[in-house]
Amino acid sequence: MRRRQATPAVLADGRALGAAMLRRLFIGQCLVLALHLAFMPAWLAGLAALVAGYRALQLRRRLPRAGVVLRLAGVAALTAGLWLQYGTLGRMEAMIGLLLGVYLLKLLETHTRRDARVVVLIGLVATTVAFLHDQGIPVALGALLAVAWLLHSLVCLAGASDARLAWRESAWLLGLSAPLMVLLFLAFPRFGPLWNLPQAERAATGLSDEIAPGDIAELSRSDRRAFRARFLGDAPAPAERYWRVYTLSDFDGERWRRATAARLGLGRGALAAEGRRSPWPPSGEPRFEAELLLEPDSRPWRPSLGAPLASDERLRWLADGTVEGLSPLASRSLLRLSSSGQAPGWPDPLGARWHTRLPEEGNPRSRALAERLWRETGGAPRAYLEALMARFGEAPFRYTLTPPRLTSRDRVDEFLFESRAGYCTHYASAMAVLARAAGLPARIVAGFLGGERHPDGHFTVRDYDAHAWVEVWLDGGWQRLDPTAAIAPERIEQGAGAIEDGGEAFLADSGFSPLRMREIGWVNRLRLGWERMEYRWQREVIGYRDQARTALMARLVERLHAFWETLLGALPGRGPLGWLAGLAIAAGLLAGLGGGLALAWRARREGRDEALRIRRLQAWLARRGLPPREGESPAAHLRRLAEAAGPAGPALRDCAHQLERLRYAPLAAAERRERRRVLGRRVAEVRRRLPRHRAGG
C-alpha cells in the first residue's frame, strides 16, 4: 500500500497561489477598503471589483496575465482619477487614495507567496492609515477585524493548511500582543506628528468669520456636532451658555466681518498675543473651567464661555475677547479652558470710532428710527437700549427658522419695516446697526447658545445651536444684549428645536438623525448610551495624553501604597519584623505569579512539541532513579520501564506509541492535535500513578 505524503509545514515563497488564497487576499482588501470608503472616493470600490474580476478570469485561463503595459495603465488611470478628484496629489486624502489604489492593483501581479506577503503588509499599513480619517469606535472595531483577517492570511501563507488551526494561531498571536499593546499605551506618552500633510478644508461647524442676516438659520437644518464640553466645577445655567467663537465688527451694509490685523493692514501683534494666559486684563476671577473635546476643523477657532482667560496649551488670544489655536485641528482634540462667563471688560484696541462705523449711505429709515428713539429716551444709553429691546419684543416681529429672503440694498430697513420676521442674525444685525446709529459702540458675536446635557454631565453642542448676539460698550465694559431673549425666550431656555415657526426646517438636512426620535424613550436611551460611550472613548482613550498618564500612574502608586499599608496593618507588629514579613509576603506573591506564568508557558510549549514533553518526562523519571540506558531511544526507554511500573505501565506504553506516531506517521493536522492531547493526558497519568518507592532499572 502506497503511503500518503505528509503536507510540508512551510511552502516555498515561489510556489504559485491558488484561487482560495487569492480570494482570501481580496476579502482582506475589501475589509481594509471599508475603513476608508466614508472618506474616500467610492470609485475605489469599482477598482477593487475590476481587479478581482480580471484575476478570476485569468485563473480560468480566459485572460492572460496582466503585463507591464496593463499594470502601468492601471497606475496612470489611478493617478489621473485622484488628480481629477482632488486637484492635486500633495494632499493627505490624495496620498491615501494612491496607497489604496496601489494596494488594490497589486493583486494583478500577485502570483507567488512572496507577492501575497507584500499585499498583506501593504494592507496592514493601509489599516493604520485609516486612523488619520477617524479614531472612533466603529473604525477601531473595523481595524481590529481587518488586522485579524490579514494576520490569518499570513498564517495561511506560512503553510497552515487547516483553517481552524490558522484561526487559532491568529487568535494566539493577537492575544500575545495585547498585553504589550496595553503596556505601551499606558506607560509611554503619545508623541506629536513629525510632519503635517496638507488636508482638505474640513469644517466641523458651518460658522464662518463673516455672516449676513439669515446665514445661521441654515445651520438649524444640520445636527453635525461642533464640540463637546465637560465642566470641572459648576455647570452654567441654560441662559448662561453663550459660547463665543467670532467677534464681527466690520459692517458694509450687508455683511458683518471680522476685523483682523491682516485685513486692516496692522502688525501681527496689534490685536493678538500668544501664550497660555490671556494678556488682556480680566474683569474678575475665572468662573467656568471646561474641558472641550473639539471636532476636526480646517479653521483654528476655539469656543469659550464668555471671555477666555487661561488654557493648558499655547493659544492665540485676540483683543476682541475670542481665542484661536495656533493651527487647525487635524483630528479630535482635548482643550482645557477657563473663562469669565461674561463679555470682555476691556476696550477693543480699534477704539470706539471703529465700533460706531456705518456705511455713509443706506438704511435711512433705520437711522431715522434710531434718532427718534434717542431723543425720546433723553440720550440715555441704557434707556435707549431698553427701548430697542422692548420694540423687538412687540408684535408683529416674530422669530422663525424660515425667514423670508431680503433682496433690497437697505436690508436692515427691509427687515425692520417690511418682513419683520427673522432668525437670530436678523435681530442681532438690526440691533447693532441701531446702536451704532445712536453713537454707541456695538459689535456682533457669532457662536453657539445652549447644548444638549447628557446624563453623565457633559454637553454636546451641534450646528443647530449656532447663535448670534450683540455686545455694546456701556459703563466701561462690553455688555451682552440678545434680542432673541425678547422675541423667543424659549430659544434661550430650550434650544433651536423649541421654535415652532418654521419648525419643519429644523434638522431638514439630517433626515436619518436619531435626534428626530427623541420623544421615543428607548430610542433616545440608546442614542444617549452610544454618545456617552463614544465620548468616553474619545476623551479617555484617544485623548490619553501626558497628563492622563501621570494621573493614572499616580493612582496606581496610591493604590499600591494603600495595599501595602493594609498588609502591614494585618501583621502583629509594624516594626522591622513587620516590614520583613511584608517583604516576604510580597516576594512570595511575585514568585507565585512568576511560577504560574512559567508553568503556563511550559504547558504551552509542551503542547506544541511532543519531543520536548517526552524529554521532560524522561528527566522526571531519571530524578526518581529510572534513567535511560546509553543509546536507548525514548520509546524503548518508556516501554522498558512499563514492564515494572505497575499501574503506570499502560500509560508509559501509550506514551511510547503516541510519540512514534507523531514523529514518523503522516498525520493530518486535526489528528496530530488530537494525539498531542492524548499524549499530554498519558504523561500526567504516569506522573500520578508511578509508585514513589520504585527505583532502579
Side-chain angles (χ1 to χ4, degrees):
M1 182 176 178
R2 186 178 179 180
R3 299 183 62 184
R4 182 167 57 90
Q5 294 294 324
T7 303
V10 179
L11 299 177
D13 278 358
R15 179 160 179 171
L17 298 175
M21 180 55 69
L22 287 173
R23 184 167 56 249
R24 185 175 288 111
L25 294 176
F26 176 67
I27 293 175
Q29 287 184 334
C30 291
L31 292 175
V32 173
L33 190 62
L35 299 175
H36 295 267
L37 276 185
F39 313 95
M40 300 300 298
W43 52 263
L44 284 175
L47 176 63
L50 285 175
V51 172
Y54 190 96
R55 285 311 312 270
L57 292 175
Q58 184 264 318
L59 284 175
R60 296 175 183 175
R61 306 190 183 280
R62 296 181 183 177
L63 289 175
R65 281 192 177 187
V68 176
V69 175
L70 179 59
R71 284 178 280 165
L72 289 178
V75 174
L78 169 68
T79 305
L82 292 172
W83 183 276
L84 293 175
Q85 180 83 27
Y86 298 107
T88 178
L89 295 179
R91 232 163 51 190
M92 184 185 74
E93 288 80 2
M95 292 182 179
I96 295 176
L98 190 60
L99 171 65
L100 293 177
V102 170
Y103 174 47
L104 299 173
L105 291 172
K106 180 66 179 175
L107 203 62
L108 287 175
E109 61 176 10
T110 300
H111 302 288
T112 65
R113 290 181 174 254
R114 184 182 296 107
D115 297 333
R117 288 191 178 96
V118 173
V119 171
V120 173
L121 292 178
I122 297 176
L124 291 172
V125 174
T127 301
T128 305
V129 167
F131 289 103
L132 294 177
H133 297 304
D134 184 47
Q135 299 174 357
I137 296 176
V139 172
L141 293 177
L144 179 61
L145 177 61
V147 167
W149 185 269
L150 295 173
L151 189 59
H152 169 67
S153 301
L154 281 179
V155 172
C156 292
L157 288 169
S161 57
D162 184 79
R164 292 177 57 190
L165 176 62
W167 277 117
R168 193 173 72 173
E169 292 296 322
S170 303
W172 176 252
L173 290 173
L174 287 174
L176 285 178
S177 64
L180 178 61
M181 177 190 68
V182 173
L183 178 63
L184 292 175
F185 175 80
L186 294 177
F188 288 86
R190 293 182 62 179
F191 298 101
L194 299 179
W195 64 84
N196 290 315
L197 294 175
Q199 301 184 48
E201 294 292 316
R202 268 196 313 182
T205 173
L207 279 183
S208 65
D209 57 0
E210 61 176 63
I211 62 172
D215 283 357
I216 290 183
E218 295 298 316
L219 299 182
S220 65
R221 304 170 63 91
S222 171
D223 69 341
R224 188 167 48 181
R225 189 166 48 216
F227 62 92
R228 284 168 282 191
R230 183 175 69 91
F231 291 93
L232 306 184
D234 294 334
E240 296 179 306
R241 298 175 198 156
Y242 282 85
W243 299 93
R244 303 169 60 88
V245 175
Y246 296 119
T247 297
L248 314 174
S249 58
D250 185 7
F251 181 58
D252 62 2
E254 179 182 349
R255 305 190 69 84
W256 290 84
R257 296 180 175 84
R258 295 178 66 197
T260 62
R263 182 174 292 170
L264 299 177
L266 303 176
R268 184 176 180 182
L271 300 178
E274 294 182 5
R276 293 181 181 269
R277 302 186 64 86
S278 172
W280 317 108
S283 56
E285 293 296 322
R287 187 178 174 193
F288 299 112
E289 185 171 1
E291 183 185 73
L292 306 176
L293 179 58
L294 304 168
E295 294 295 308
D297 201 300
S298 57
R299 295 162 302 184
W301 65 270
R302 305 290 188 268
S304 65
L305 200 65
L309 301 177
S311 171
D312 62 343
E313 66 181 53
R314 289 181 61 85
L315 298 174
R316 183 177 296 110
W317 309 86
L318 305 182
D320 60 9
T322 58
V323 65
E324 291 182 338
L326 301 184
S327 62
L329 293 173
S331 61
R332 290 188 181 97
S333 179
L334 281 172
L335 172 69
R336 182 170 293 185
L337 188 68
S338 62
S339 56
S340 66
Q342 303 293 330
W346 60 85
D348 193 303
L350 294 178
R353 183 177 179 181
W354 172 264
H355 289 92
T356 56
R357 180 172 171 268
L358 288 173
E360 295 183 0
E361 298 180 355
N363 300 304
R365 289 185 287 176
S366 298
R367 296 174 189 262
L369 173 64
E371 184 178 352
R372 179 173 62 82
L373 289 177
W374 183 258
R375 287 197 309 268
E376 291 176 356
T377 55
R382 285 194 176 275
Y384 175 74
L385 295 174
E386 289 174 0
L388 291 180
M389 293 288 284
R391 182 179 180 85
F392 284 133
E394 298 172 353
F397 287 103
R398 60 187 179 90
Y399 198 83
T400 176
L401 297 178
T402 55
R405 183 178 180 84
L406 304 178
T407 57
S408 69
R409 293 180 56 188
D410 302 323
R411 299 193 178 184
V412 176
D413 281 359
E414 185 181 358
F415 166 67
L416 286 176
F417 299 98
E418 296 176 22
S419 70
R420 296 179 180 178
Y423 200 59
C424 59
T425 42
H426 293 82
Y427 290 97
S429 178
M431 183 81 175
V433 168
L434 291 173
R436 288 190 172 192
L440 299 178
R443 61 192 184 188
I444 288 181
V445 182
F448 300 90
L449 172 62
E452 181 184 26
R453 183 164 191 168
H454 292 259
D456 63 352
H458 82 273
F459 292 82
T460 297
V461 180
R462 304 178 186 273
D463 270 4
Y464 60 68
D465 292 311
H467 192 57
W469 60 94
V470 180
E471 287 181 349
V472 179
W473 182 261
L474 196 64
D475 298 334
W478 292 101
Q479 304 292 324
R480 181 196 302 142
L481 291 177
D482 190 357
T484 300
I487 305 160
E490 66 275 13
R491 166 66 182 93
I492 307 299
E493 296 291 333
Q494 303 174 38
I499 304 299
E500 295 182 1
D501 194 345
E504 68 278 358
F506 184 66
L507 299 180
D509 293 340
S510 304
F512 298 100
S513 172
L515 290 167
R516 288 177 169 273
M517 296 182 286
R518 283 182 294 185
E519 303 303 322
I520 304 176
W522 67 271
V523 174
N524 198 49
R525 286 192 296 272
L526 284 177
R527 179 184 68 86
L528 293 176
W530 168 257
E531 291 189 359
R532 179 173 62 251
M533 182 172 62
E534 203 271 340
Y535 172 71
R536 295 191 64 178
W537 167 268
Q538 294 292 340
R539 179 177 173 270
E540 298 174 12
V541 178
I542 304 303
Y544 185 79
R545 295 291 192 274
D546 288 347
Q547 292 181 349
R549 180 174 61 90
T550 303
L552 176 62
M553 295 301 153
R555 287 198 300 271
L556 289 177
V557 171
E558 182 181 354
R559 291 183 180 180
L560 287 174
H561 185 267
F563 172 74
W564 181 258
E565 291 295 328
T566 303
L567 191 63
L568 292 180
L571 296 175
R574 293 180 62 87
L577 183 61
W579 278 95
L580 289 175
L583 288 174
I585 293 174
L589 291 174
L590 291 176
L593 178 61
L597 293 175
L599 288 175
W601 177 250
R602 175 176 174 175
R604 167 71 178 173
R605 290 187 61 194
E606 288 184 357
R608 298 164 59 89
D609 188 349
E610 59 275 0
L612 176 63
R613 189 186 291 276
I614 293 299
R615 284 199 302 271
R616 287 179 173 170
L617 175 61
Q618 287 184 287
W620 183 82
L621 291 169
R623 290 194 295 271
R624 281 154 179 76
L626 302 172
R629 294 171 181 172
E630 185 176 356
E632 189 176 35
S633 69
H637 176 214
L638 298 180
R639 285 195 177 96
R640 177 175 57 81
L641 296 182
E643 300 300 327
L652 283 167
R653 280 188 287 271
D654 199 24
C655 285
H657 172 70
Q658 298 296 341
L659 174 64
E660 289 174 338
R661 294 290 297 172
L662 286 167
R663 295 301 298 272
Y664 306 114
L667 303 176
E671 185 180 355
R672 184 174 294 277
R673 290 197 304 272
E674 180 59 29
R675 288 189 177 276
R676 282 174 175 167
R677 284 195 289 267
V678 172
L679 177 61
R681 291 195 295 268
R682 294 296 180 265
V683 169
E685 187 177 347
V686 170
R687 293 174 183 268
R688 187 173 62 252
R689 292 191 173 187
L690 186 70
R692 295 181 179 275
H693 66 277
R694 299 198 64 86

